[in-house]
Amino acid sequence: MPDLIELSAGDLHRKLVAGDVTARQIVEHFLDRIEQIDGRIGAFNTVTAEAALDKAADIDARLDKGETVGPLAGVPIALKDNLCTRGVPTTCSSKILEHFVPPYDATVVERLDLADAVLLGKTNLDEFAMGSTTESSAFAPSANPWDLSRVPGGSSGGSAAAVAADLAPLALGSDTGGSIRQPASFCGVTGLKPTYGRVSRYGLIAYASSLDQIGTFSRDPRDAALLLEVIAGHDPRDSTSAREPVPDYATELEKEVAGMKIGLPREYLAEGIALDVEAAVRAAADAYQGLGAEVVDISLPHTEYAVATYYIIGTAEASSNLARFDGIHYGRRADGKMNVDELYSRSRSEGLGDEVKRRIMLGTFALSAGYYDAYYLKALKVRRLIKKDFDDALAGVDCILAPVAPTVAYKQGEMIDDPLSLYLADIYTSATNLAGLPAIAFNAGTGEGGLPIGVQLMGRPFEESGLLRLAHAFRQATDHHLARPNLTED
Ligand code: GLN
């Protein structure tokens, strides 16, 4: 029997249904692996071993009785710790929510349960999903499985690291300005940020509601298709979720890519990109040409304003969303006797970290009387222009090929005192969220230090199928995915 750890989610499921393996064996295998490896990675905040074994026993019992099981039966999955899980701590890697146990499941969690996926635990993130390294977690940073002295990226760094280290074949994350794609790129896995509205956000603890979207981590695009099909679709509890029908992504993914037209935005291959990253993007473009796709030069002229626009809108929404964590409605309460103003202020001062406070202050400033028009309103107008850039470009091409991050993964601690440089590194990812478009990041080679380099494809709203198809074709035609992190004990 091949090592269960190395099987794709689809293969694990097929083996289970064929009776080659039990759900219990699969789950025990992954729990053992987490126990052996995660001390070095720190991908998980919480491991739900007992509940996972119970779920596995339930699936095995149903299979024994000849009952049908869901499309992800027996497949273990890790969830970013900003997705609400009933009875399981949901911390956002923040002290203020350290002891928060939600009384309900996020819609995606409900859907995964119905599909019979097995929840392994909750993964580490930058506090409240604000960051790019997982170092702003209030608990501990996570490490990059390819090189433990590097960051896995962020904010969904724990989810990306878990999949890269084979601690789980699937994971969910959230992407507000790149938080799925950038860690996927840094960890050499596939990360899909769906169209805004494709996946219900009910039960996702909000950072910036007009930008947040839940998406997938997997080893390959085929597993991404499988997982997206389970979590996508309308949800009456999220008014921004779309009624658009959910395609059969797994079938769509097998279709031809010859004749598809891919745009290469000149503004994304300009100043500031590392040579190894640029080379990987250009090599990916060549690979697509080899597959019969046409690659053309395009322009997204407002690219240079994306980061500033994202950090005004994102922080403005964050300042309002995070107002609920005041020690009374939600969250850790400061000890001692004091009046209510002091209680708010002490609870928030003690419970929130520096990056979160910085963003609340920036956002409060951008929304304040006298500055609203100059910053927030202006940013909304620029957002419109950025969206129009994509609409114009995507009228002529099927999708856009671009880098994900300007460099490979940073060293731990390298960027900790330099938030502005980290913000600027969101240049290639944040515009997609401003425009609400789908994008998929996948490994396209290695660069400095043998570290993975991801590229991304961005597409028209609700055209995840085309992105999955192109990412799948790339994997079939190249062997970058054969390089894997080496986690054997030294
Ligand atoms: N790196 C970006 C930031 O720091 C993205 C965060 C996200 O997508 N949640 O805000």
Side-chain angles (χ1 to χ4, degrees), residues 360-393:
I360 291 173
M361 286 190 282
L362 279 170
T364 306
F365 180 78
L367 288 175
S368 55
Y371 295 103
Y372 182 96
D373 288 3
Y375 294 103
Y376 184 67
L377 202 60
K378 181 77 148 278
L380 292 183
K381 290 178 182 168
V382 180
R383 179 179 194 171
R384 188 72 207 101
L385 295 173
I386 289 170
K387 170 86 170 83
K388 188 172 177 303
D389 281 358
F390 281 102
D391 290 346
D392 292 347

Side-chain angles (χ1 to χ4, degrees), residues 146-427:
W146 292 75
D147 174 349
L148 302 179
S149 71
R150 305 263 176 169
V151 302
S155 64
S156 315
S159 284
V163 172
D166 298 325
L167 306 180
L170 297 177
L172 289 185
S174 62
D175 190 313
T176 307
S179 278
I180 289 177
R181 290 162 287 155
Q182 185 257 25
S185 173
F186 280 9
C187 291
V189 299
T190 302
L192 173 68
K193 172 225 173 285
T195 311
Y196 186 74
R198 176 72 297 181
V199 176
S200 166
R201 293 179 297 110
Y202 177 78
L204 166 68
I205 297 177
Y207 155 23
S209 310
S210 78
L211 303 161
D212 295 338
Q213 182 59 204
I214 297 171
T216 69
F217 287 96
S218 56
R219 238 176 270 142
D220 63 34
R222 193 182 266 146
D223 278 353
L226 194 68
L227 180 52
L228 180 62
E229 205 164 313
V230 167
I231 61 171
H234 181 249
D235 174 12
R237 292 174 299 188
D238 173 2
S239 61
T240 64
S241 81
R243 290 180 186 274
E244 204 75 19
V246 178
D248 175 352
Y249 294 114
T251 307
E252 291 286 323
L253 164 128
E254 304 289 347
K255 291 189 181 159
E256 270 294 307
V257 302
M260 286 182 88
K261 208 163 164 184
I262 301 174
L264 210 51
R266 68 183 80 109
E267 293 82 0
Y268 282 56
L269 294 167
E271 209 189 326
I273 189 169
L275 290 177
D276 52 359
V277 177
E278 179 172 358
V281 178
R282 295 205 185 272
D286 290 345
Y288 280 121
Q289 266 169 335
L291 288 165
E294 189 187 346
V295 178
V296 296
D297 175 65
I298 59 160
S299 174
L300 297 168
H302 295 92
T303 298
E304 63 174 307
Y305 305 112
V307 168
T309 308
Y310 164 73
Y311 276 95
I312 290 173
I313 295 175
T315 58
E317 293 181 13
S319 72
S320 141
N321 275 325
L322 270 67
R324 73 192 64 158
F325 304 109
D326 56 13
I328 293 183
H329 292 92
Y330 281 101
R332 169 199 159 117
R333 187 174 299 181
D335 289 333
K337 265 201 200 148
M338 63 199 95
N339 68 33
V340 74
D341 281 338
E342 240 178 290
L343 180 65
Y344 287 154
S345 134
R346 286 228 348 240
S347 300
R348 286 166 73 79
S349 302
E350 291 167 12
L352 299 172
D354 288 348
E355 183 58 31
V356 174
K357 285 178 186 158
R358 180 180 298 125
R359 293 194 190 200
I360 291 173
M361 286 190 282
L362 279 170
T364 306
F365 180 78
L367 288 175
S368 55
Y371 295 103
Y372 182 96
D373 288 3
Y375 294 103
Y376 184 67
L377 202 60
K378 181 77 148 278
L380 292 183
K381 290 178 182 168
V382 180
R383 179 179 194 171
R384 188 72 207 101
L385 295 173
I386 289 170
K387 170 86 170 83
K388 188 172 177 303
D389 281 358
F390 281 102
D391 290 346
D392 292 347
L394 288 164
V397 294
D398 294 299
C399 68
I400 296 169
L401 172 66
V404 177
T407 63
V408 295
Y410 316 116
K411 284 217 149 56
Q412 303 271 5
E414 185 183 349
M415 302 292 265
I416 224 156
D417 296 321
D418 193 359
L420 190 59
S421 295
L422 274 183
Y423 294 179
L424 291 170
D426 293 332
I427 175 79

